[in-house]
Amino acid sequence: LTPLAKHIRDTILATGPMSIAQYMQLALTSPIGGYYTRGQVFGRSGDFVTSPEISQMFGEVMAVWYVLHWEMMGRPPKTVFVELGPGRGTLMDDIMRAAKRFGAFYKSIQGIHFVEKSPELRKLQHDRLGCDWSTTAVVGDKSDAGRTPLSGVSQQHGGLRVGWYDVLEQVAVDKDCVPLVMAHEFFDALPIYKFEKGENNKWSEILVDVADSSAAPAQSAGPTPLRGSVGSKIGGDTTSTSHFKFVRARGVTSNAAVVLRDQRFDSLFTKGNRVEVSPESARIMIQLADWISANNGMGLVIDYGADWTQGDTFRGIKGHRFVDPLDSPGSMDLTADVDFSYLRFAAQGRAKCHGPIEQGSFLHSMGIQARLQQLLQSTGDSKVQQDLVDCYKRLTDVHSMGRVYKVLAVLPNSSTLSPIPFAQPPANGPHKQ
Ligand code: SAH
C-alpha cells in the first residue's frame, strides 16, 4: 500500500466510507502522492495526450479567437491571460507565439496568470515559458514555495510577468485590465459526487469503502456493496483487484441533500438513474462568471463532456487506457465527463454562456485548415507533412476528439456580442439527453 492509499484506507476505517469527491481530491492533489503532484503525466510517454500536446495548431487557433474578440470589444488597451490548470504550459506558449503576429493585440498583454496546484507542473510551466529561476520570486508566505503564489518573467515572451496561484481567488487583476481566460481539460479533474435514485425518489450516494468489508467500522454497516455497471466505461467488476470498492449509502446522505438541492434533479431522473455532480466546478464557474462580468473579460472552457447530466463516466486513465479508478490512488489520472449544462446553470444571471459546440466545428470555423495548409507548405519533409495531417484529423475528426470535446465561451453578462463561431445560447439549466 502506498502512503496515500494507506491514508485513504485509514480515513475510511476511522470515519466510514468517503464520497467519491473526497477520494478524487486526495488521489489527484494530495501532497502525499496525489497524481498531479508528479510531473511527467502528459505526452506520448505519459498517461494521456491533450490537444495542445498533439499540435501547435490548437493553441494558434485559440490565439486567433482571442484576437478576434479583442477587436470586437473595441481593442481594450490592457489585457491579461489567465489559465486554469495549464499542464505543461504548452497551450499558453503556443498562444503567446501566435499572438506576437498581431502587434497591437500583443502589446495589450500585461502578463500571464496560471492557476496551478501542482508544484511539479509549475516547474514545467515555468521552464516552458522561458522563465529564469534567478528572477522568480515567491510572493507572500514563503513556507511552502511550491504552493504559494510565485512570480516570474518570461524571457521568450518579451519579459512578460508570469504569476502562479493555487486558486482563482488569489489572482488580482487591475480594474482596467481585461482578463482572457482559458480552462482546457481543467473541469474534468475536479471532484464529483455520485448519486443513484432509489425507491420513493430518494437519492443515495455512491461512496468509496475499503474492499475487505469485515474491517469496516460499525458506522459503515449501512452501505450495501455495489457491483457491475459502476464505472461502466471500464466494464466488469471494479472491486476485484483494488483495495477499495464502491458502495451505496443506505438512506439519504447529507451530501445528497446539499448537492442535489435543485429540483431539476427530482423531475428529470427516475429510479435507477445515476448522476455525477461536481459542486466544486459550479463554485469555480460562478467565480469565473462574476470575474469575467466585473472586468469585461472573455473565456473559453474546453473539455470532454456533454450538455447534460451523466451518471457513469467516472474513470481512471493510465498509459492511454481506461482503468479501474479505485486501483492504487495517485498512480493514475481520475476524471469524469464535464456536465456543460451544469456549468451554464451555475453561470446563469452572472455571465453569458455560448455553446457548448463541438471542438471539430470550432476549430474548422476558426481556420485550422488554412493553418494546416501553411504548415504543410513550410516543409518539404513528407513524414512531417503526414504527421501534421494526422494531428489535424485527431483534433477535428468526429470519431476522435472532434465531437467528444466541446467548447463553451463565457462573456460578460452585459455583453451583446455574438461570439464566433457560436450560435445563439440555448436555454439554461441541467437537463437529460
Ligand atoms: N490544460 C492542460 C492540462 C490538463 S490536466 C492540457 O490540456 O494539457 C489538468 C490540469 O489541472 C493540471 O495542470 C493539474 O495540475 C491542474 N489541476 C487539477 N486540479 C486542480 C485544482 N483543483 N486546482 C488547480 N489546478 C488543478
Side-chain angles (χ1 to χ4, degrees):
L1 231 54
T2 61
L4 177 59
K6 185 173 180 316
H7 171 72
I8 293 176
R9 184 185 160 84
D10 291 347
T11 306
I12 293 174
L13 290 176
T15 56
M18 63 171 64
S19 66
I20 293 177
Q22 192 186 351
Y23 176 85
M24 222 175 146
Q25 195 210 333
L26 287 168
L28 289 182
T29 54
S30 163
I32 56 163
Y35 180 72
Y36 283 118
T37 63
R38 310 181 307 149
Q40 296 298 348
V41 299
F42 302 94
R44 290 176 195 194
S45 61
D47 290 316
F48 55 88
V49 178
T50 59
S51 298
E53 304 296 337
I54 289 174
S55 170
Q56 65 183 79
M57 289 184 281
F58 187 80
E60 291 167 346
V61 165
M62 296 306 151
V64 170
W65 189 87
Y66 289 111
V67 175
L68 267 176
H69 293 83
W70 174 78
E71 296 273 359
M72 286 162 74
M73 282 177 141
R75 300 181 154 222
K78 286 187 185 174
T79 59
V80 62
F81 271 97
V82 180
E83 186 176 0
L84 306 177
R88 297 212 291 198
T90 309
L91 177 54
M92 192 49 71
D93 192 39
D94 290 341
I95 289 178
M96 283 300 142
R97 205 173 6 79
K100 276 193 193 104
R101 278 180 274 148
F102 304 91
F105 173 73
Y106 190 67
K107 275 206 200 94
S108 78
I109 305 170
Q110 308 292 302
I112 301 168
H113 294 307
F114 284 148
V115 178
E116 175 60 68
K117 279 214 165 101
S118 159
E120 284 308 309
L121 289 175
R122 283 180 171 200
K123 282 186 201 145
L124 293 180
Q125 294 151 14
H126 183 276
D127 295 349
R128 182 73 204 222
L129 291 194
C131 296
D132 179 349
W133 285 106
S134 67
T135 54
T136 297
V138 176
V139 184
D141 177 12
K142 295 188 172 41
S143 60
D144 183 5
R147 298 198 151 233
T148 46
L150 278 183
S151 171
V153 177
S154 168
Q155 306 298 338
Q156 78 208 29
H157 296 303
L160 276 183
R161 273 237 155 254
V162 186
W164 281 265
Y165 309 85
D166 242 16
V167 289
L168 185 63
E169 284 101 322
Q170 292 171 326
V171 180
V173 168
D174 292 346
K175 222 32 243 112
D176 59 347
C177 200
V178 167
L180 311 173
V181 183
M182 167 62 79
H184 182 258
E185 291 213 29
F186 172 74
F187 282 98
D188 69 82
L190 298 182
I192 55 133
Y193 291 85
K194 185 160 172 157
F195 304 94
E196 183 178 299
K197 202 161 203 179
E199 299 294 341
N200 307 322
N201 278 343
K202 292 266 193 288
W203 290 99
S204 6
E205 186 171 355
I206 309 294
L207 302 164
V208 177
D209 200 356
V210 295
D212 49 337
S213 54
S214 57
Q219 63 262 45
S220 75
T224 52
L226 198 74
R227 300 193 159 256
S229 61
V230 169
S232 59
K233 288 215 171 179
I234 58 161
D237 182 353
T238 61
T239 68
S240 53
T241 56
S242 77
H243 297 284
F244 303 100
K245 66 180 176 189
F246 292 113
V247 293
R248 190 188 295 110
R250 192 183 292 158
V252 179
T253 64
S254 53
N255 287 336
V258 174
V259 176
L260 303 178
R261 270 174 67 169
D262 195 282
Q263 56 106 21
R264 257 164 276 254
F265 288 109
D266 284 333
S267 55
L268 290 172
F269 298 93
T270 54
K271 193 180 160 203
N273 284 168
R274 298 202 183 110
V275 292
E276 291 166 339
V277 186
S278 171
E280 177 71 356
S281 295
R283 201 181 63 76
I284 293 178
M285 192 66 194
I286 286 171
Q287 272 177 34
L288 262 187
D290 286 347
W291 204 55
I292 284 175
S293 285
N295 297 288
N296 211 24
M298 60 180 102
L300 290 175
V301 175
I302 308 174
D303 225 308
Y304 42 84
D307 200 28
W308 56 83
T309 304
Q310 302 185 83
D312 281 309
T313 73
F314 177 54
R315 58 202 184 267
I317 298 176
K318 190 175 189 171
H320 303 271
R321 303 175 67 117
F322 290 146
V323 291
D324 177 354
L326 300 188
D327 194 24
S328 58
S331 77
M332 66 181 70
D333 191 25
L334 294 180
T335 179
D337 278 17
V338 169
D339 177 353
F340 283 96
S341 68
Y342 185 68
L343 296 186
R344 288 192 294 106
F345 181 64
Q348 197 171 22
R350 298 170 181 275
K352 285 218 175 92
C353 289
H354 299 263
I357 60 174
E358 292 174 5
Q359 171 165 304
S361 81
F362 179 89
L363 292 175
H364 279 133
S365 302
M366 294 305 300
I368 192 170
Q369 280 182 331
R371 184 61 185 141
L372 173 67
Q373 284 304 332
Q374 275 181 351
L375 290 172
L376 287 174
Q377 278 156 22
S378 71
T379 175
D381 185 332
S382 62
K383 259 194 83 192
V384 175
Q385 289 175 332
Q386 188 54 50
D387 191 50
L388 280 165
V389 172
D390 289 347
C391 291
Y392 154 76
K393 282 191 185 152
R394 197 155 171 206
L395 292 176
T396 57
D397 196 281
V398 290
H399 301 296
S400 188
M401 302 169 91
R403 174 160 291 162
V404 177
Y405 283 73
K406 310 279 191 310
V407 184
L408 181 82
V410 187
L411 293 180
N413 213 25
S414 60
S415 171
T416 52
L417 268 185
S418 269
I420 304 164
F422 296 84
Q424 285 306 303
N428 269 314
H431 55 275
K432 257 179 92 180
Q433 186 172 12

